Amino acid sequence: MKVKHSKYKNTGILFELLTRQLTSDTIAGNQPKALSFLKKHFNKKTELLKEYKIYHTLATQKYGKDSQATMLISTLLEAHGKLNKSQLRREKYNLIKEIKDSYNVNDFFKAKITDYKIMASIFNLLENRNATALSIVNSKVTLLEHITEKPTKITKDVVLENFNNQDKDTRLLTYKVLLEKFNNKYSGLEDNQKTLLKEYVNNVTNSPALKSYVNQEIKEVKKTITGYSKKVEDKAVAIKLNETKGMIKPLCKKSSVSDDNVINLLNYYSLVNELKTIHG
């Protein structure tokens, strides 16, 4: 059963989106407003931080027995009931207002969420006043299965792990070094290729804006190749260009931008740039 809920009111999702936005702002060299939001609204004096800790525990804690998971859920539901609800609503309202004033709210909230089903189930138990008895039962079952699920073994990336353990200043310095190395390594790329890579790196949330940008570029590339297929005199080249044109398709509504999409578009750019060099 699908749980209907508002991303705007889900504290776990708000925190995740802000941390992603912080990464995006840092990479892009923009003023990290998300950092000030996190410091202001998620500190030891706020009810938002208390609620976030409940979300985080329910989403990450693991137990081997159903009885332990049930006790965890009951204890945290009780703890949530003791929060100052009027203060919590006020804090959440102010946070959302600042997000709307600083970012494109549609792009901000349309980003894909890690463990969306889990976050929605937690919201349903903690905050959804209109939840039916059946939806509450389903949400509890979802959380029980999640908490007691055996974690899959993941091979740790030593470099990434060391990076995550560094303090904030060191991580920011690392970002700058990476960007400098990126610019040096790809100095031979054309402007359209650099712009695409910059958009892809900056949009860490894989936002609708990135998808819209890629689809617009695909449209322009296809249009350019179509023009050259009619212009070139070599029939064999014209046939190949028409075949290539037929392979270029925009991303569908349910798709998100992947590495393969970016690589393909970079290759199309190379073809277009070569055609411009040869045929003007």
Side-chain angles (χ1 to χ4, degrees), residues 96-133:
I96 293 170
K97 183 178 184 301
E98 290 185 31
I99 290 172
K100 288 181 177 180
D101 290 341
S102 302
Y103 299 107
N104 183 312
V105 71
N106 291 324
D107 289 348
F108 187 89
F109 282 102
K110 281 185 179 178
K112 282 193 172 183
I113 303 299
T114 307
D115 292 330
Y116 180 86
K117 184 178 179 181
I118 302 303
M119 286 296 181
S121 296
I122 296 172
F123 172 86
N124 201 42
L125 292 179
L126 298 180
E127 304 184 65
N128 191 356
R129 296 178 181 178
N130 299 319
T132 63

Side-chain angles (χ1 to χ4, degrees), residues 68-268:
Q68 293 173 311
T70 300
M71 186 178 296
L72 175 71
I73 293 172
S74 299
T75 302
L76 291 177
L77 282 175
E78 184 179 345
H80 189 268
K82 294 178 182 178
L83 296 180
N84 185 327
K85 297 301 191 299
S86 60
Q87 182 180 337
L88 181 61
R89 284 194 295 271
R90 185 166 58 252
E91 290 173 357
K92 199 172 294 187
Y93 172 84
N94 290 333
L95 171 59
I96 293 170
K97 183 178 184 301
E98 290 185 31
I99 290 172
K100 288 181 177 180
D101 290 341
S102 302
Y103 299 107
N104 183 312
V105 71
N106 291 324
D107 289 348
F108 187 89
F109 282 102
K110 281 185 179 178
K112 282 193 172 183
I113 303 299
T114 307
D115 292 330
Y116 180 86
K117 184 178 179 181
I118 302 303
M119 286 296 181
S121 296
I122 296 172
F123 172 86
N124 201 42
L125 292 179
L126 298 180
E127 304 184 65
N128 191 356
R129 296 178 181 178
N130 299 319
T132 63
L134 181 58
S135 72
I136 290 174
V137 170
N138 286 331
S139 293
K140 284 186 176 180
V141 170
T142 297
L143 283 179
L144 279 170
E145 291 176 346
H146 174 71
I147 294 169
T148 56
E149 181 183 29
K150 291 183 179 179
T152 55
K153 289 186 178 180
I154 301 174
T155 303
K156 290 185 178 180
D157 186 319
V158 178
V159 176
L160 183 59
E161 188 176 8
N162 288 336
F163 172 77
N164 288 331
N165 289 331
Q166 299 295 328
D167 58 71
K168 187 188 76 173
D169 291 336
T170 303
R171 291 200 300 270
L172 290 176
L173 177 61
T174 304
Y175 275 132
K176 291 180 180 178
V177 172
L178 285 173
L179 285 174
E180 287 175 3
K181 288 187 175 181
F182 174 87
N183 288 331
N184 291 333
K185 182 175 181 180
Y186 297 105
S187 58
L189 293 178
E190 298 294 334
D191 289 341
N192 51 8
Q193 293 173 313
K194 287 182 180 178
T195 302
L196 171 62
L197 289 175
K198 182 181 177 182
E199 289 289 331
Y200 189 47
V201 170
N202 288 349
N203 282 275
V204 292
T205 58
N206 211 333
S207 68
L210 173 62
K211 183 175 178 180
S212 175
Y213 172 81
V214 169
N215 276 338
Q216 181 60 36
E217 289 300 296
I218 288 174
K219 182 179 177 181
E220 289 299 319
V221 164
K222 191 168 186 176
K223 180 180 177 181
T224 302
I225 292 176
T226 300
Y228 279 109
S229 68
K230 298 175 181 178
K231 183 177 181 180
V232 295
E233 297 179 359
D234 190 317
K235 291 185 178 180
V237 173
I239 290 172
K240 288 294 182 183
L241 289 177
N242 282 319
E243 289 177 354
T244 302
K245 180 186 68 176
M247 294 167 58
I248 302 175
K249 299 183 184 299
L251 300 174
C252 63
K253 289 183 178 180
K254 295 183 179 180
S255 298
S256 56
V257 181
S258 68
D259 290 351
D260 288 340
N261 299 136
V262 174
I263 291 170
N264 288 338
L265 188 49
L266 285 172
N267 288 332
Y268 295 143

